[in-house]
Amino acid sequence: MGQGVSYFTKDEQNEILEQTKLSPRYLQEVQKRYSQYDTSKSKDETSGVTIEQVLLIPEVNQHKLAPIFAEKYGGRSGILYPKEFVNFFAAFSSARTPSEKVELLFEILDVRKLGYLQGIEMYRYYHILLSPSLSDSQIENVAKKALNLTGGKIDLDKFKQIVQPWEVAEKMTIVLQLTD
């Protein structure tokens, strides 16, 4: 993997690289970033990185979808540990195809894990993307129209028809500035 901090065994690194499609160099850079924000003194006893810290990372802070992904990976604790931190950046990596990003976005929005989205999830999605350009009532109308066109429930297939993969890919791509 090269030099630098590694929070994972060789087997874990290989598994992460296979699952995330990240390059070894990118994985190393993400781990290096993690070590910059983690306040612990040992990679074996990491204290984690808060959601707030993640959202302040320069490449992240302008992405509208980053907060909901940080919330997912931070869980109830609001802390991302090395694997969650890597998965967060893997979700926004250019290694993910637009279709994969749409599926991941759907999974994140489906907070109740019902296999479909309804009013509040669609409102949240459109609110993230369209606020402050549209008022809350206008965003609510957009969400209602989408739901009316799909019978009130939006499963993954319908979601793929509603959202444009290129648009999701554009909004779900973070390019980390790699260091030497």
Side-chain angles (χ1 to χ4, degrees):
M1 277 287 305
Q3 304 217 6
V5 176
S6 182
Y7 292 91
F8 310 107
T9 66
K10 187 70 172 161
D11 287 341
E12 289 172 330
Q13 289 176 14
N14 290 336
E15 184 180 326
I16 289 167
L17 291 171
E18 185 178 320
Q19 289 174 350
T20 63
K21 301 178 185 174
L22 296 176
S23 71
R25 181 167 184 229
Y26 196 85
L27 176 58
Q28 193 64 38
E29 183 65 33
V30 172
Q31 291 181 85
K32 184 177 177 182
R33 287 294 182 93
Y34 182 87
S35 69
Q36 292 172 349
Y37 291 95
D38 182 27
T39 58
S40 63
K41 303 292 183 216
S42 165
K43 70 179 182 74
D44 298 322
E45 295 182 22
T46 177
S47 61
V49 177
T50 66
I51 290 172
E52 293 79 17
Q53 289 173 301
V54 170
L55 297 177
L56 291 175
I57 295 172
E59 295 94 340
V60 175
N61 71 7
Q62 295 301 312
H63 284 271
K64 289 185 172 193
L65 293 172
I68 64 171
F69 280 82
E71 287 172 15
K72 180 202 180 352
Y73 292 115
R76 292 185 187 269
S77 69
I79 305 285
L80 283 78
Y81 295 99
K83 190 163 187 171
E84 291 82 16
F85 193 82
V86 167
N87 284 331
F88 172 83
F89 280 98
F92 286 96
S93 164
S94 59
R96 298 272 181 169
T97 67
S99 179
E100 290 171 324
K101 289 183 182 212
V102 169
E103 290 173 14
L104 190 54
L105 177 58
F106 180 85
E107 179 186 320
I108 298 285
L109 290 170
D110 184 15
V111 293
R112 295 176 293 166
K113 305 302 175 213
L114 298 172
Y116 57 85
L117 307 178
Q118 289 184 300
I120 192 69
E121 294 99 349
M122 291 308 295
Y123 175 82
R124 185 176 189 206
Y125 170 67
Y126 286 122
H127 190 271
I128 290 166
L129 294 182
L130 303 173
S131 174
S133 300
L134 298 179
S135 70
D136 287 349
S137 63
Q138 290 172 312
I139 293 169
E140 187 176 334
N141 286 335
V142 170
K144 282 180 181 178
K145 273 187 183 175
L147 287 164
N148 287 338
L149 291 172
T150 58
K153 292 181 181 178
I154 299 174
D155 63 14
L156 179 59
D157 290 333
K158 290 177 184 174
F159 188 70
K160 287 179 178 180
Q161 293 171 5
I162 292 172
V163 301
Q164 299 297 316
W166 60 268
E167 184 179 26
V168 171
E170 180 182 294
K171 293 187 184 330
M172 280 183 61
T173 300
I174 293 175
V175 179
L176 280 180
Q177 301 302 311
L178 301 179
T179 58
D180 295 326

